[in-house]
Amino acid sequence: MSFDLNSISKALNEPNRTESGVDFSGRSLKLDSEQDAQPIIEAINACPNLHYLTLTGNTLGVEAAKAIAKALSRHPELKVARFSDMFTGRMKTEIPPALSALGDGMIEAGARLTLLDLSDNAFGPIGVEGLAKLLQSEVCSELQELRLNNNGLGITGGRLLAKALSSNTLRLKVFIAGRNRLENDGAKALAAVFQSMGSLEELAMPQNGIYHTGIAALSESFRHSPNLEVINLNDNTIGPKGAASIAAALPRLKKLKSINFGDCLLKSAGAKALAQGIKDYNVLLESIELSHNEIGREACMQLVEALTIQPGAKDRLTRVNLAGNSLGGAANKKIMKDKLGASAELSDGEGSDEEYESESEHSDYQSGASEDSATEDARHADTSLEEHEDLDRTGIEEVETDIGRFLKDPTLENLSRLGGDIAEVIDAHLQNIKDPESLTVSYVEALCCVWGASEGDSQRKLCRTTIQRAPQQWILANNMLRALQLIKSENKDYKIRWKVPSCYKALAKEIDEAYFPHALRDTLKFFIASKMASLPPEIRTVVEKHPNLYT
């Protein structure tokens, strides 16, 4: 493979940089192997003072990540890691080991990051597993800016992230985590971390499905963050109750300059609560985004008055967006425009003023009734760790048949009733299932039932078949991790029916076989190694006898 020395030189000497580093952003490189990663490795090795490393816009496999990590292990001066949009086209199961490898390289180097950006990597909750060790290490002890935008974390990922962050004495100034489906529980977990830190200056958590109870928890953390200047909760359901919680925190936020609560269903009641808080506590905002909130004209006028009551408001305000609300007639708009000056963005919404005023009493969609029913699982298709309770279980609930009886109660006696070619019988039976995800769930459970009940050729044949039948490898990996008790199921009704220690013994025979996918092997070994200390004694005893499960 030939190297482009000009490219390496450019990466080392990007103009307008006051610090030295390596930037391979936007190259669309597909880096699978150590050889593929050589241009980046060469650039890192050639940089005597690697203050930043930017790999945004490339796609990194596990082996390439390990090779880059080895190069990073010699650079304790690294401060900035921009790793956004770095796993396009990768299976989710490849990401945790890749992240873990990069983290290990920085840990070995003794680096102290100030900025870590992993945005636009759809790694979901299991990606946090690969990130946890790094976040808990000394590498992140001086971290000031953490960007995790659009990672598909979900509630589970939010909780795991909060746990990892709380294990380190962090003083974050900037936290960005938009479009992550954190919902109330994820927001509450993170709010506790923010409250403990007390150091935030900018918080952005737009589009996370957070309702007023989650907003209340975040508002409490705001009270302990006196340096907070920017709050962005756009496109969450703050509602009147959430707005009241935020307004109550305003006396502590003397440095607050910008809020973005656009499309948050504030209604008139919520807008009035904010207006009163801004007025009473002399909050000198410079930018406020409240568009499309179903606010009536009276509440809009109160907001304008609160924002402009202090002298010099026109010069201070840079943007006031009330578009998409009921602003009243031309006379009202002129008054608002005169008060706000060039910062004003005013246009009427579709609803009438009467609608916005009358509906304001029905805060938060009937005080969270919809919120409680609209769970993460019901609203989102990405189920990397979550369970659907309506999975197509055709073929594993038909307990009248011998195979149905075995899959419900996987004993050796019930297995013996299936005849000679057990794998073929099970395969034929499960082909009745049409939903691809349900099919994978059923194959994994059937495999574990067989693994736990017997030894022999049927184990290997069914393992091969399970891998072949899985339409998406990351779904297979998630279900195997859950079946082996390496991750928890969100479904309280999920039950382990098989002997888990026997499953590990069987897996040890298969995991290094040629047919076993590399990504799946790396993921399982990564999780087994990282969870070793917390495994139940009976499982840990088996695993320790088979080092190939974790090395």
Side-chain angles (χ1 to χ4, degrees):
M1 180 178 183
S2 61
F3 305 133
D4 184 353
L5 295 178
N6 289 330
S7 177
I8 293 174
S9 177
K10 181 181 178 183
L12 288 171
N13 300 291
E14 185 187 16
N16 303 319
R17 291 282 193 186
T18 57
E19 295 184 324
S20 59
V22 170
D23 188 345
F24 273 77
S25 60
R27 306 291 182 85
S28 300
L29 301 176
K30 189 173 188 295
L31 308 172
D32 295 320
S33 65
E34 179 178 353
Q35 186 70 9
D36 294 335
Q38 280 303 309
I40 295 174
I41 293 168
E42 291 291 322
I44 292 173
N45 291 339
C47 185
N49 293 299
L50 186 74
H51 295 128
Y52 63 85
L53 174 62
T54 303
L55 299 178
T56 298
N58 300 290
T59 175
L60 215 63
V62 176
E63 295 306 314
K66 289 179 179 178
I68 292 171
K70 187 176 179 180
L72 285 178
S73 68
R74 295 185 287 273
H75 287 278
E77 73 279 8
L78 183 67
K79 296 294 183 184
V80 175
R82 296 186 179 91
F83 296 160
S84 60
D85 189 20
M86 202 172 64
F87 297 107
T88 301
R90 300 288 171 182
M91 292 186 295
K92 289 187 178 181
T93 51
E94 292 182 84
I95 300 175
L99 286 175
S100 181
L102 292 170
D104 287 346
M106 291 184 278
I107 291 171
E108 184 179 346
R112 295 292 185 270
L113 293 180
T114 57
L115 184 153
L116 176 60
D117 186 358
L118 286 162
S119 298
D120 299 315
N121 293 306
F123 47 62
I126 64 171
V128 184
E129 294 276 1
L131 186 59
K133 182 179 177 182
L134 175 63
L135 292 175
Q136 294 167 344
S137 73
E138 287 297 307
V139 174
C140 290
S141 61
E142 299 175 11
L143 194 65
Q144 296 182 12
E145 189 169 337
L146 180 59
R147 294 179 174 270
L148 295 169
N149 205 54
N150 191 30
N151 294 126
L153 298 180
I155 293 173
T156 301
R159 287 171 173 162
L160 290 172
L161 177 61
K163 182 179 179 181
L165 292 174
S166 64
S167 299
N168 206 337
T169 307
L170 297 179
R171 301 288 294 172
L172 283 179
K173 293 182 178 180
V174 178
F175 181 83
I176 311 293
R179 299 183 66 189
N180 270 304
R181 305 184 285 106
L182 295 170
E183 304 193 22
N184 285 336
D185 288 345
K188 288 177 183 177
L190 289 167
V193 178
F194 303 151
Q195 183 169 330
S196 177
M197 288 180 189
S199 56
L200 282 182
E201 297 178 9
E202 178 180 352
L203 174 72
M205 295 172 63
Q207 295 182 326
N208 270 298
I210 307 171
Y211 285 72
H212 70 87
T213 57
I215 298 297
L218 288 171
S219 299
E220 182 61 28
S221 76
F222 298 163
R223 294 164 63 90
H224 298 267
S225 306
N227 295 320
L228 202 55
E229 296 183 8
V230 178
I231 304 174
N232 180 358
L233 295 173
N234 186 283
D235 201 10
N236 291 289
T237 308
I238 293 176
K241 288 184 178 180
S245 298
I246 294 170
L250 290 178
R252 305 287 185 91
L253 301 179
K254 300 299 184 182
K255 297 183 179 181
L256 189 62
K257 301 298 182 187
S258 173
I259 60 175
N260 183 342
F261 301 154
D263 199 18
C264 286
L265 205 67
L266 294 178
K267 301 283 187 141
S268 293
K272 289 178 180 178
L274 286 177
Q276 194 65 45
I278 292 169
K279 180 180 179 181
D280 290 349
Y281 305 121
N282 191 27
V283 182
L284 300 178
L285 291 171
E286 296 175 2
S287 173
I288 181 168
E289 164 67 66
L290 296 176
S291 62
H292 302 284
N293 269 297
E294 302 189 10
I295 304 171
R297 64 177 180 272
E298 181 183 343
C300 285
M301 189 62 77
Q302 287 184 23
L303 280 166
V304 171
E305 290 174 353
L307 290 167
T308 57
I309 195 170
Q310 295 296 324
K314 281 188 178 181
D315 294 329
R316 184 183 76 252
L317 292 167
T318 59
R319 186 169 187 255
V320 179
N321 191 357
L322 295 173
N325 297 295
S326 179
L327 304 176
N332 264 30
K333 291 179 185 176
K334 185 178 186 305
I335 293 172
M336 293 181 189
K337 187 73 175 177
D338 289 343
K339 287 178 176 288
L340 295 171
S343 68
E345 295 183 24
L346 310 173
S347 62
D348 282 310
E350 296 179 0
S352 68
D353 188 61
E354 289 73 18
E355 285 180 301
Y356 295 163
E357 293 290 344
S358 63
E359 289 180 12
S360 65
E361 299 301 320
H362 300 283
S363 63
D364 302 316
Y365 291 112
Q366 299 180 341
S367 301
S370 299
E371 157 189 0
D372 294 333
S373 61
T375 63
E376 179 180 34
D377 290 338
R379 292 205 310 239
H380 302 290
D382 184 351
T383 55
S384 55
L385 288 181
E386 294 76 22
E387 259 311 61
H388 285 302
E389 296 187 10
D390 59 347
L391 290 177
D392 180 356
R393 296 282 180 159
T394 306
I396 60 174
E397 294 182 352
E398 298 174 358
V399 295
E400 313 84 21
T401 65
D402 287 337
I403 188 169
R405 187 177 295 108
F406 167 70
L407 293 173
K408 184 178 181 183
D409 183 20
T411 63
L412 182 59
E413 180 183 357
N414 287 337
L415 180 64
S416 64
R417 292 177 178 154
L418 301 185
D421 197 334
I422 295 169
E424 188 174 313
V425 171
I426 291 176
D427 185 37
H429 184 72
L430 296 182
Q431 286 301 302
N432 294 323
I433 301 173
K434 304 302 181 186
D435 176 67
E437 185 173 349
S438 301
L439 185 69
T440 303
V441 171
S442 299
Y443 268 102
V444 170
E445 293 186 0
L447 175 63
C448 289
C449 287
V450 172
W451 273 357
S454 72
E455 296 183 12
D457 293 340
S458 58
Q459 289 189 343
R460 174 160 298 175
K461 187 173 182 180
L462 186 56
C463 187
R464 283 176 175 269
T465 303
T466 298
I467 290 170
Q468 291 170 355
R469 299 295 188 215
Q472 291 181 295
Q473 288 295 303
W474 69 267
I475 297 177
L476 173 61
N478 286 337
N479 281 284
M480 289 192 74
L481 291 170
R482 183 186 58 196
L484 293 169
Q485 295 185 311
L486 293 169
I487 60 175
K488 292 182 179 179
S489 173
E490 294 267 328
N491 182 5
K492 295 178 181 179
D493 296 328
Y494 183 80
K495 295 179 180 179
I496 301 291
R497 308 186 301 279
W498 43 87
K499 297 176 181 177
V500 178
S502 297
C503 290
Y504 278 92
K505 184 177 179 181
L507 177 62
K509 297 178 182 178
E510 307 302 324
I511 196 167
D512 291 321
E513 292 297 315
Y515 75 85
F516 209 91
H518 290 288
L520 179 59
R521 179 187 303 133
D522 290 341
T523 299
L524 292 174
K525 288 188 176 187
F526 168 77
F527 274 88
I528 292 170
S530 63
K531 298 283 187 178
M532 179 78 81
S534 60
L535 290 174
E538 65 275 13
I539 295 177
R540 189 166 63 250
T541 299
V542 174
V543 172
E544 288 173 346
K545 291 179 180 178
H546 299 89
N548 68 318
L549 287 173
Y550 57 88
T551 59

